[in-house]
């Protein structure tokens, strides 16, 4: 009987007309009827993200573009591998074409007032010969990569998908480390072939003026982004809380902010002492336990009230700040390791060789599965010393640690404020500064770890650089940019938090989409349109478009 009840619940979930999330229904009601589009208006492709945050934001963007520019919206439906976590038969069922299309159709119908048709679906009924060709190409690629010491690399029709496959494996297999011989990698390569083929056909044939996406990692985000850029389509990403919207390019296709010019740009600003004082006040708020806008995603502060006693031998020790093993590592360029597991095992081996005392500090925002990964790490590397979860970073500094190690974490500038250097190994936001020694190869990373306590610059200079970075990353920008970032963060927090009422949720949403800054942002998105700069959009413009696919 229990099994039948569970089966009935699953059937109701799959066969619903709209998504079961009450936030989606509330957003649909508050947005009301969509403005008319122009039959010759600019085409905007929008990623279908099964998340109320982006459902609301993207529909608000299209609504404004329809109202002011007569834009036509088409939905890129990316549900495929991301339809389930795991590699068993249940996960395969939830990733299947029939189930995936039924669930995706709920979000398509919910978006229908603002979106006219489906551009393409990652789960499509392909021509059997095309599917057979994908299977053959994927199998041949995997068989050639699964064995031997050759570096894992997959390029499909000129689109590099190596990092997207690795990140998708870590998240959806799920696994703390990438295993190229795992059959699930073949599943990912097959889906990558489908997505490249479908994205290429759409962006090349329809040439939208703009593609709107959330993130640029994983297969479901990254492939459409990279193909669109190759085809000359403008791409805007909204995956970072540090910026409201980032225009991606082939040279910079990650959704995280590009901070390479921070130091140079700050040097050109006036009244630098006042800006440094403002940065110091805001950073002190974070370092005394506050969760500021840039740390909105954190469940708990790394600088909160001490809950544990510090180990006695922390003085002069190295602390390795772990990442969430199942998170996407490739959110920055030039990562010198495939995943966080490969990074930490290399780091442990090298620090042991150095003879330096070191501790590992788990990520405060890691998912539950990371706990199992830590147990595996303990078993494979006996004698590791982990810091208690209640120890704050302030305690570590007060205890006199000599260095922090991270791939690319925000802890780099936080420790620099206290005069503690760090070591990193990716093109992270701190690259323009000296307080973090950033390795560009494994050999250079090893050399840094063998001399971890080397001071790259004096402590006073570290503090100054940390505040310069903090100002540029968190406080600098045009008034509209800062206003939109704040409004989007408030909307994001209301959606993610469990305590927000429907009234608060919709209030945050309306504050974002009705703000003059949001309207001005949308007015700049498409740029001047040929022969339409002076054209008024008729109030009852006719829409000539195919209906949304069911």
């Amino acid at each position: 009987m229990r099994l039948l009840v569970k089966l009935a619940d699953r059937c109701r979930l799959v066969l619903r007309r709209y998504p079961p999330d009450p936030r989606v229904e509330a957003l649909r009601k508050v947005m009301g009827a969509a403005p008319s589009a122009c039959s010759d208006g600019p085409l905007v492709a929008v990623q279908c993200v099964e998340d109320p945050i982006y459902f609301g934001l993207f529909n608000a963007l299209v609504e404004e573009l329809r109202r002011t520019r007569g834009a036509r919206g088409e939905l890129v439906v990316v549900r495929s591998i991301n339809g389930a976590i795991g590699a068993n038969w249940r996960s395969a069922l939830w990733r299947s074409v029939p189930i995936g299309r039924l669930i995706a159709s709920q979000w398509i119908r919910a978006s229908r007032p603002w979106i006219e048709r489906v551009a393409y679906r990652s789960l499509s009924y392909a021509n059997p010969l095309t599917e057979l060709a994908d299977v053959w190409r994927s199998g041949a690629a995997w068989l050639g990569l699964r064995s031997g010491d050759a570096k894992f690399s997959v390029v499909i029709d000129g689109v590099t998908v190596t990092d997207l496959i690795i990140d998708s494996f870590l998240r959806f297999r799920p696994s703390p480390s990438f295993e190229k011989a795992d059959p699930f990698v073949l599943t990912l390569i097959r889906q990558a072939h489908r997505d490249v083929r479908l994205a290429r056909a759409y962006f090349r044939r329809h040439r939208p003026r703009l593609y709107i996406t959330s993130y640029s990692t994983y297969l479901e985000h990254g492939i459409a982004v990279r193909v669109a850029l190759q085809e000359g389509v403008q791409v805007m990403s909204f995956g970072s809380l540090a910026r409201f919207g980032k225009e991606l390019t082939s040279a910079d296709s990650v959704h995280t902010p590009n901070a390479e010019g921070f130091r140079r740009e700050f040097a050109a600003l006036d009244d630098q002492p006042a800006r440094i004082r403002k940065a110091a006040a805001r950073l002190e708020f974070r370092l005394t336990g506050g969760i500021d806008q840039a740390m909105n995603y954190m469940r708990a502060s790394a600088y909160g009230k001490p809950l544990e006693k510090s180990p006695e031998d922390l003085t002069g020790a190295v602390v390795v700040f772990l990442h969430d093993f199942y998170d996407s590592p490739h959110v920055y360029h030039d990562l010198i390791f495939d995943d966080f597991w490969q990074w930490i095992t290399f780091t442990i081996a090298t620090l042991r060789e150095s003879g330096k005392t070191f501790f590992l500090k788990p990520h405060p925002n890691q998912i539950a599965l990371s706990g199992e990964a830590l147990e595996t790490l303990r078993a494979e590397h006996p004698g590791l010393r982990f810091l208690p979860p209640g120890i704050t970073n302030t305690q570590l500094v007060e205890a006199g640690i000599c260095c922090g190690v991270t791939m690319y974490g925000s802890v780099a500038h936080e420790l620099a404020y206290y005069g503690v250097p760090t070591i990193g190994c990716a093109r992270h936001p701190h690259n323009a500064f000296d307080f973090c020694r950033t390795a560009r190869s494994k050999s250079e990373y090893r050399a840094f770890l063998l001399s971890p306590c080397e001071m790259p610059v004096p402590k006073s200079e570290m503090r100054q650089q940390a505040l310069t970075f903090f100002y540029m990353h968190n406080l600098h920008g045009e008034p509209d940019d800062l206003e939109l970032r704040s409004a989007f963060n408030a909307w994001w927090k209301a959606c993610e938090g469990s305590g927000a009422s429907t009234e608060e949720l919709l209030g945050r949403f309306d504050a974002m989409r009705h703000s003059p800054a949001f309207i001005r942002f949308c007015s700049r998105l498409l740029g001047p349109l040929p022969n339409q700069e002076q054209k008024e959009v008729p109030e009852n413009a006719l829409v000539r478009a195919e209906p949304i696919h069911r």
Side-chain angles (χ1 to χ4, degrees):
M1 178 61 70
R2 184 177 300 175
L3 182 62
L4 290 176
V5 171
K6 189 174 182 179
L7 182 61
D9 288 341
R10 289 297 177 95
C11 288
R12 281 194 291 269
L13 180 66
V14 170
L15 298 175
R16 290 178 61 95
R17 180 166 181 76
Y18 296 117
D21 194 320
R23 294 169 295 181
V24 173
E25 186 58 30
L27 288 168
R28 280 175 47 79
K29 289 179 179 178
V30 77
M31 291 185 73
S36 297
C38 286
S39 59
D40 60 346
L43 179 61
V44 177
V46 183
Q47 181 190 29
C48 180
V49 186
E50 296 175 10
D51 182 321
I53 294 173
Y54 291 104
F55 172 82
L57 172 63
F58 290 178
N59 283 328
L61 289 168
V62 174
E63 177 188 50
E64 181 63 21
L65 292 174
R66 284 172 69 108
R67 185 181 71 83
T68 58
R69 309 296 286 270
R72 299 167 292 135
E74 296 189 342
L75 209 58
V76 175
V77 184
V78 295
R79 183 185 179 93
S80 57
I81 297 297
N82 56 326
I85 293 178
N88 53 32
W89 67 269
R90 292 186 183 87
S91 301
L93 179 63
W94 282 96
R95 293 188 182 110
S96 66
V97 174
I99 299 296
R101 288 179 70 92
L102 284 170
I103 294 176
S105 292
Q106 298 172 8
W107 293 87
I108 294 169
R109 284 190 287 266
S111 299
R112 186 168 188 177
W114 308 279
I115 303 293
E116 295 170 22
R117 64 183 293 273
V118 171
Y120 70 88
R121 295 178 186 243
S122 290
L123 289 177
S124 61
Y125 293 104
N127 181 305
L129 293 179
T130 304
E131 182 66 20
L132 190 61
D134 281 346
V135 170
W136 184 86
R137 294 173 68 195
S138 303
W142 181 60
L143 289 174
L145 292 167
R146 60 179 294 190
S147 58
D149 297 327
K151 184 174 177 61
F152 182 81
S153 177
V154 181
V155 179
I156 301 173
D157 295 337
V159 181
T160 299
V161 297
T162 309
D163 56 320
L164 305 179
I165 289 173
I166 291 172
D167 289 6
S168 296
F169 182 89
L170 302 176
R171 180 72 180 91
F172 298 109
R173 172 64 174 86
S175 171
S177 62
F178 178 66
E179 305 292 341
K180 62 182 181 179
D182 192 302
F184 190 63
V185 174
L186 174 59
T187 301
L188 294 170
I189 295 176
R190 285 182 61 185
Q191 185 60 49
H193 275 90
R194 294 189 194 102
D195 281 334
V196 169
R197 171 169 47 80
L198 293 166
R200 181 83 70 203
Y202 171 72
F203 287 109
R204 179 167 292 177
R205 179 180 177 186
H206 293 271
R207 299 283 180 180
R209 287 291 303 266
L210 172 69
Y211 177 53
I212 297 174
T213 184
S214 53
Y215 304 99
S216 62
T217 50
Y218 306 117
L219 293 180
E220 69 267 22
H221 310 298
I223 289 181
V225 164
R226 294 177 187 185
V227 172
L229 290 172
Q230 283 191 355
E231 295 299 327
V233 175
Q234 180 189 9
V235 178
M236 288 294 298
S237 165
F238 295 84
S240 173
L241 293 177
R243 296 289 183 275
F244 183 79
K246 176 186 177 183
E247 183 170 357
L248 305 185
T249 65
S250 296
D252 182 18
S253 61
V254 295
H255 59 263
T256 46
N258 186 333
E260 292 180 359
F262 278 2
R263 199 170 180 179
R264 180 184 65 256
E265 293 164 11
F266 184 82
L269 296 177
D270 61 1
D271 202 5
Q272 294 177 12
R275 298 175 193 273
I276 289 294
R277 288 194 296 272
K278 184 177 180 180
R282 293 286 293 273
L283 183 54
E284 282 287 351
F285 169 75
R286 180 194 298 179
L287 299 180
T288 52
I291 297 179
D292 59 2
Q293 185 171 274
M295 296 286 110
N296 236 354
Y297 62 92
M298 296 289 288
R299 292 190 293 267
S301 170
Y303 293 90
K305 184 178 179 181
L307 301 175
E308 304 276 358
K309 185 178 179 181
S310 303
E312 294 182 357
D313 51 350
L314 265 174
T315 303
V318 176
V319 175
V320 183
F321 293 85
L322 299 178
H323 300 264
D324 185 338
F325 291 106
Y326 299 90
D327 204 356
S328 167
H330 293 92
V331 291
Y332 296 106
H333 297 288
D334 301 336
L335 198 67
I336 64 176
F337 295 98
D338 285 342
D339 53 49
F340 295 123
W341 190 267
Q342 189 184 94
W343 163 73
I344 190 56
T345 54
F346 185 97
T347 302
I348 289 169
T350 308
L351 286 175
R352 281 183 165 171
E353 182 183 346
S354 75
K356 198 72 180 174
T357 300
F358 68 95
F359 294 82
L360 306 184
K361 189 175 189 294
H363 194 282
N365 218 43
Q366 68 185 22
I367 64 173
L369 279 174
S370 281
E372 299 176 15
L374 292 180
E375 292 305 316
T376 303
L377 195 65
R378 284 188 176 97
E380 293 185 2
H381 301 273
L384 287 179
R385 303 184 67 182
F386 286 83
L387 292 171
I391 285 187
T392 67
N393 289 351
T394 305
Q395 284 178 276
L396 301 181
V397 172
E398 291 172 348
I401 65 170
C402 79
C403 178
V405 179
T406 176
M407 260 193 175
Y408 47 59
S410 61
V411 71
H413 69 269
E414 295 165 357
L415 290 182
Y417 180 73
Y418 290 117
V420 178
T422 48
I423 297 171
C425 55
R427 201 196 309 173
H428 52 76
H430 311 101
N431 274 11
F433 300 90
D434 303 319
F435 53 74
C436 181
R437 290 190 290 165
T438 303
R440 288 163 178 78
S441 66
K442 290 181 181 178
S443 60
E444 188 176 28
Y445 183 60
R446 181 176 182 277
F448 288 165
L449 291 176
L450 291 176
S451 57
C453 299
E454 180 180 314
M455 294 290 288
V457 292
K459 289 187 177 183
S460 60
E461 177 64 18
M462 276 195 202
R463 187 184 186 92
Q464 183 75 9
Q465 289 189 21
L467 291 173
T468 299
F469 168 82
F470 188 88
Y471 179 83
M472 295 300 296
H473 192 263
N474 300 294
L475 304 176
H476 182 62
E478 296 296 325
D480 275 5
D481 297 335
L482 297 176
E483 179 184 338
L484 280 174
R485 186 198 313 180
S486 179
F488 178 59
N489 270 263
W491 158 243
W492 188 94
K493 195 70 173 179
C495 278
E496 284 293 298
S498 57
S501 65
T502 301
E503 291 74 18
E504 180 184 354
L505 183 81
L506 298 181
R508 299 289 189 187
F509 179 64
D510 281 341
M512 176 182 68
R513 72 184 178 118
H514 290 319
S515 70
F518 184 84
I519 295 170
R520 285 191 290 268
F521 175 87
C522 291
S523 72
R524 297 189 299 268
L525 267 182
L526 297 177
L529 301 179
N531 304 319
Q532 288 193 351
E533 288 86 346
Q534 307 300 322
K535 179 186 284 188
E536 292 290 331
V537 178
E539 194 168 327
N540 297 311
L542 295 175
V543 177
R544 187 177 67 224
E546 300 175 31
I548 280 187
H549 298 176
R550 296 291 177 161

